[in-house]
Amino acid sequence: MGTFFQVALDGLFNGLLYAVVAAGLSLIWGVMDVINFAHGEFLMIAMYLSYWLGFIWKIDPLLSSLAGGLFVFLVGALTYKLIISHTIGKSAMSALLATFGLSMLLKNVCLNRFSPNFRLLQGTFLGGKTYNFGGLIVPVPQLAIGLVALLLLTLLYALVKRTRLGWAIQATAMDKEAAELMGINTEKIYLLVFGLGGACVGIAGGLLPSYLAVHPEVGGLFSLIAFVCVAMGGFGSIPGALLASLLIGLVEAFAGFYIAPVFKYVAVFGLYLVVVMVRPRGLFGW
Amino acid sequence: MKNRKRSVDFLWLGLLAFLALLPLIPGLLRSSFTQHVAIQILLYASMAQAWNILGGYCGQVSFGHSVFFGIGAYGAGMAVVKYGMIPWPGAFIGAVLAAAVAVVISYPCFKLKGHYFAIATFAIVEIFNRLFMVWYWVGGALGLDYSFTDQGWTHFVWYESKRGYYFGVLLLFLLVFGVVRWIERNRLGFYLRAVREGQETAESLGVNSAKVKLMAMALSAFLAALCGAFFAQYNYRVDPPMVMSLDMSMKFVLITILGGLGTFYGPLLGAALLIPLQEYSRAFLGGIGGGVDLIIFGLLIIIVVVYQPRGIMGIIDGIRVKAKRSKEGGE
C-alpha cells in the first residue's frame, strides 16, 4: 500500500507542474483562441536562464525563478507583438504553425549555443532534500514547485475572476469587438495575457533546474502534455486545466509504475482521446 | 477556359519531361550530394502533396501523417528484413493498412473541431511512436536494419549510384501528383473544396461530407504510406523516431504551407525551396554548431505564416496579377 501512495504522490507532483504550464496555455487559448506551440520552449528558456544564473553567479533557483518569470513575461509579450498579433483574424491554424516555427527556432538556438547536453544544477538550496513523512518520501524540490504552482494558479484565477483587469480579459475573450466598444484596449489585453502565460511557465521553469536536467528538447513533451491538459480541462477553464493536469499526472504515474514506463504517455494520450470522444469540448468546457 | 486548361497541361508535361531528362544532362547531377538533394526534393514534394489532398483541398489540418508514413515504411521494411522478400508487396500492404488505420482513426476524430482535432492528431502520433518503440515484432526501438540484397528494381536497392532511386522517386512523384491532378478535375475535387469552404453549405447541396472527408483521408494516407516505403528503401533502415514523430508530421504540413496550401504546384515549390536550404545549410554551416538548418527553417516558417500565408504560390499569383494589370493598363 505504501508504494501505491508513493506513486500517487509523485503523480500529483508532476500533475501540479503540468498544471502551471497548462494554466498559462489555457488562459491564452481561452482569451485568444490560439495554441502556443512554443509554450514548452518558454519553460526551457526559463530553465536555461535559471541554470546559467546558478552556474555562473551561484544564484539559487528560488531567486532565479523570479527572474525567469520576468524574462519569459517579456518573451511572451514580444512573441505576441512580433508574431501572434499578425495572425489574429487569419486561419485558426496560422498561430499554431507560426509558434511551431518559433519553437523550432528557440530549441535549435539553444542546441546550437548550449549543446544537447543534459545540465542539472548542483548544490541548490532545495535540491536533493527529502522529507520522510511516515514512510512516504516527499522530495522537497517537487513539493516547492507544487506549492508554487498552487499559489500561481490561485493568483491567476483570482486575477481573472476578481479584478477589473480580469473582467476586461473575460470581456475580451467573450466578444472582442464589443469589448473594444466598451473602451477596452484589447490589443493591450492580448499582450498582457500572452505575457502572463509566459510568466507562469517562467516561474515554474526557474525552479525546475534543482531537480530536472535542462536540455534543448526538454520543452517538447511539456508542450504536448499541456495541450492535452488544456483541451481535456475545457476551453480556457483554469480549474479545469488544474483538474485535468492532476488526472494526467496520476494516470502517467500509475501507468508508468504498474504497466510499464513506456506506456506512461500511451495512457496519457489515450485518455485524452477517450475524453474528447465522449465530451468533445473537454471535461469543463461548454 | 479550354485554352487555359491546355496551357496548364503544357506546364505539367514540360515539368515531367524536364525531371525525367534531368539525370541525362551531363554534369548537372554529377555529385552524389546533388543527386541526394534532387531525390529529397521529389520525395518531400510527394509527401506534401499527399497531405495536401486532405489538408489543402479538403481543409482538414492533420498533424498525424507521420503515422501513415511510418506504416508504409514499416511495410517495406518488414517485407525485406523480417521475411526476406522484395519490398513491393510490403509497400502495397503497408499502404492499404495505412489507409485502413486512417479511416478507423479519423472516423471519430472528424467530429472534433479546430484545436481539439489538431491535438487529437498529435496524441495519435505520440501513441503510435511509443507503441512501435516497444513492439519487438517490428524491431522495437532499434528498428529494422536492411541486410545486403541484389540491386535493381525488384529489390528497389542500388549501391553504386543514386540514379535508380531518382527514377523511383520520380515514379512516386508522378503517381501522387497525377492522382491530385485527376482529383482536381474530377467530381471528388469539387466535393473536397466544397467541404473546405463550408461543410454545412456543402451538405445542404447533397454532399456527404463525412464520406468525402474519409475518402480524402484514406487516399492521402495511402499515398503518404507509399512515400514512407520509398523512404525506408532509400535510408536502408526504419525506426520509430525516424518515421513516426511529430517532427516528421510537421514536415508534411510545413512544406505545403510554405509552397501554398491547396494548390497543385505548392508542395513542389515548398520542397524545392526548403530541402536545398536544409541540406546545404547543414552541409556548409554545420561548422558553427548543430541545428542551423532548423533555425533557418523555423524562421522561414514564422515569416511565411505571418507575412505570406498563401506561401510561394501567393507570391507568384501576386506577381501575375500585377503583370496582368500593367499589361492591361498599357493597352
Side-chain angles (χ1 to χ4, degrees):
Chain A
M1 212 53 197
T3 2
F4 179 85
F5 285 115
Q6 187 67 52
V7 172
L9 188 71
D10 290 346
L12 286 178
F13 280 142
N14 263 338
L16 285 171
L17 176 58
Y18 295 150
V20 78
V21 181
L25 203 65
S26 174
L27 190 65
I28 294 169
W29 186 344
V31 176
M32 308 160 75
D33 199 20
V34 158
I35 289 191
N36 176 21
F37 214 106
H39 214 65
E41 276 63 38
F42 285 4
L43 186 82
M44 175 200 70
I45 292 177
M47 286 174 77
Y48 267 116
L49 182 76
S50 166
Y51 173 81
W52 289 117
L53 285 178
F55 188 77
I56 297 170
W57 286 312
K58 307 283 172 236
I59 297 173
D60 199 80
L62 280 174
L63 272 174
S64 309
S65 70
L66 294 176
L70 197 66
F71 185 68
V72 184
F73 179 90
L74 293 176
V75 172
L78 204 66
T79 305
Y80 174 75
K81 211 67 206 150
L82 293 179
I83 301 172
I84 308 297
S85 64
H86 299 279
T87 65
I88 300 275
K90 289 181 189 158
S91 108
M93 283 298 138
S94 52
L96 191 154
L97 293 167
T99 50
F100 182 81
L102 181 67
S103 86
M104 263 172 103
L105 182 74
L106 294 175
K107 207 185 317 187
N108 287 290
V109 166
C110 288
L111 176 80
N112 188 284
R113 293 290 91 201
F114 307 141
S115 85
N117 292 344
F118 283 55
R119 296 162 191 275
L120 188 66
L121 211 49
Q122 301 295 340
T124 57
F125 180 68
L126 296 171
K129 283 184 190 157
T130 52
Y131 278 131
N132 195 330
F133 201 76
L136 211 60
I137 294 164
V138 181
V140 174
Q142 276 91 327
L143 181 69
I145 289 204
L147 292 177
V148 169
L150 283 177
L151 181 70
L152 281 175
L153 287 169
T154 316
L155 283 176
L156 202 62
Y157 189 70
L159 176 81
V160 173
K161 292 284 171 193
R162 295 261 184 272
T163 64
R164 287 182 69 84
L165 175 66
W167 297 338
I169 291 175
Q170 286 184 57
T172 310
M174 282 173 198
D175 190 334
K176 185 174 177 238
E177 268 147 37
E180 275 166 8
L181 288 174
M182 296 299 121
I184 295 169
N185 186 345
T186 54
E187 191 68 10
K188 220 176 190 169
I189 296 284
Y190 280 175
L191 188 81
L192 208 64
V193 162
F194 228 87
L196 281 175
C200 282
V201 278
I203 293 171
L207 284 171
L208 276 176
S210 51
Y211 80 93
L212 192 70
V214 198
H215 59 102
E217 298 284 339
V218 75
L221 196 63
F222 276 105
S223 285
L224 285 181
I225 291 185
F227 293 161
V228 166
C229 294
V230 173
M232 238 172 87
F235 186 70
S237 153
I238 293 172
L242 173 62
L243 226 72
S245 304
L246 292 177
L247 187 63
I248 295 253
L250 285 175
V251 166
E252 181 191 338
F254 281 118
F257 187 79
Y258 287 107
I259 306 174
V262 283
F263 281 103
K264 282 205 281 207
Y265 300 111
V266 176
V268 166
F269 294 112
L271 177 70
Y272 167 74
L273 290 179
V274 171
V275 167
V276 292
M277 289 308 147
V278 180
R279 284 187 64 89
R281 287 257 169 231
L283 290 172
F284 295 86
W286 60 76
Chain B
M1 189 67 202
K2 203 179 164 196
N3 201 3
R4 190 173 145 254
K5 227 174 186 178
R6 192 179 287 162
S7 74
V8 173
D9 263 342
F10 272 128
L11 182 60
W12 170 231
L13 293 174
L15 178 72
L16 282 183
F18 169 72
L19 290 174
L21 295 175
L22 200 58
L24 305 177
I25 302 169
L28 200 58
L29 289 183
R30 191 184 292 154
S31 83
S32 131
F33 185 66
T34 339
Q35 288 170 6
H36 171 71
V37 173
I39 292 168
Q40 294 277 87
I41 290 175
L42 292 182
L43 173 65
Y44 281 96
S46 310
M47 287 160 58
Q49 186 70 285
W51 183 86
N52 198 20
I53 298 174
L54 183 74
Y57 289 100
C58 192
Q60 306 295 312
V61 178
S62 142
F63 297 95
H65 266 55
S66 67
V67 169
F68 317 130
F69 184 77
I71 292 174
Y74 271 99
M78 286 296 281
V80 174
V81 177
K82 264 259 147 59
Y83 296 104
M85 294 194 305
I86 57 171
W88 297 93
F92 183 72
I93 293 170
V96 172
L97 258 178
V101 168
V103 169
V104 170
I105 289 176
S106 342
Y107 184 70
C109 281
F110 276 145
K111 280 184 218 152
L112 303 174
K113 293 270 181 303
H115 294 323
Y116 290 89
F117 178 74
I119 294 174
T121 57
F122 291 138
I124 287 163
V125 174
E126 288 298 316
I127 290 174
F128 269 83
N129 180 296
R130 312 278 157 166
L131 288 179
F132 271 71
M133 285 291 223
V134 290
W135 191 9
Y136 296 106
W137 187 62
V138 298
L142 290 176
L144 299 166
D145 262 310
Y146 280 36
S147 50
F148 194 80
T149 49
D150 294 332
Q151 62 172 356
W153 280 94
T154 38
H155 285 92
F156 209 88
V157 161
W158 290 273
Y159 300 104
E160 283 139 19
S161 108
K162 289 195 158 75
R163 183 172 284 195
Y165 287 116
Y166 180 81
F167 285 113
V169 80
L170 190 59
L171 273 184
L172 184 68
F173 175 85
L174 181 66
L175 173 71
V176 178
F177 275 66
V179 165
V180 172
R181 183 129 211 90
W182 177 80
I183 289 176
E184 258 197 338
R185 278 125 190 251
N186 204 281
R187 190 180 280 250
L188 180 61
F190 292 101
Y191 283 168
L192 290 180
R193 276 169 282 193
V195 169
R196 177 185 66 190
E197 297 303 332
Q199 193 171 319
E200 280 81 17
T201 321
E203 276 172 9
S204 75
L205 293 172
V207 177
N208 184 346
S209 72
K211 197 175 137 197
V212 166
K213 283 196 274 187
L214 283 181
M215 271 166 79
M217 184 61 153
L219 193 60
S220 178
F222 183 90
L223 295 173
L226 287 182
C227 297
F230 177 85
F231 185 81
Q233 291 300 118
Y234 184 61
N235 284 296
Y236 224 55
R237 64 169 280 109
V238 195
D239 64 45
M242 233 169 114
V243 291
M244 276 183 193
S245 64
L246 203 52
D247 285 339
M248 189 49 105
S249 271
M250 288 313 268
K251 278 194 180 143
F252 283 84
V253 186
L254 295 176
I255 290 173
T256 317
I257 302 266
L258 197 61
L261 198 64
T263 62
F264 180 68
Y265 289 106
L268 178 62
L269 289 172
L273 174 68
L274 185 71
I275 300 298
L277 197 70
Q278 179 183 306
E279 298 291 330
Y280 286 101
S281 64
R282 195 181 287 166
F284 296 116
L285 299 175
I288 51 174
V292 179
D293 56 324
L294 294 172
I295 293 175
I296 298 174
F297 191 3
L299 261 179
L300 197 65
I301 290 304
I302 297 173
I303 292 168
V304 167
V305 172
V306 169
Y307 297 104
Q308 187 48 263
R310 289 171 57 221
I312 304 170
M313 282 307 281
I315 299 173
I316 293 176
D317 281 349
I319 294 169
R320 209 186 270 161
V321 168
K322 222 179 223 170
K324 203 176 161 194
R325 261 192 212 143
S326 67
K327 200 176 158 194
E328 276 166 359
E331 272 169 354

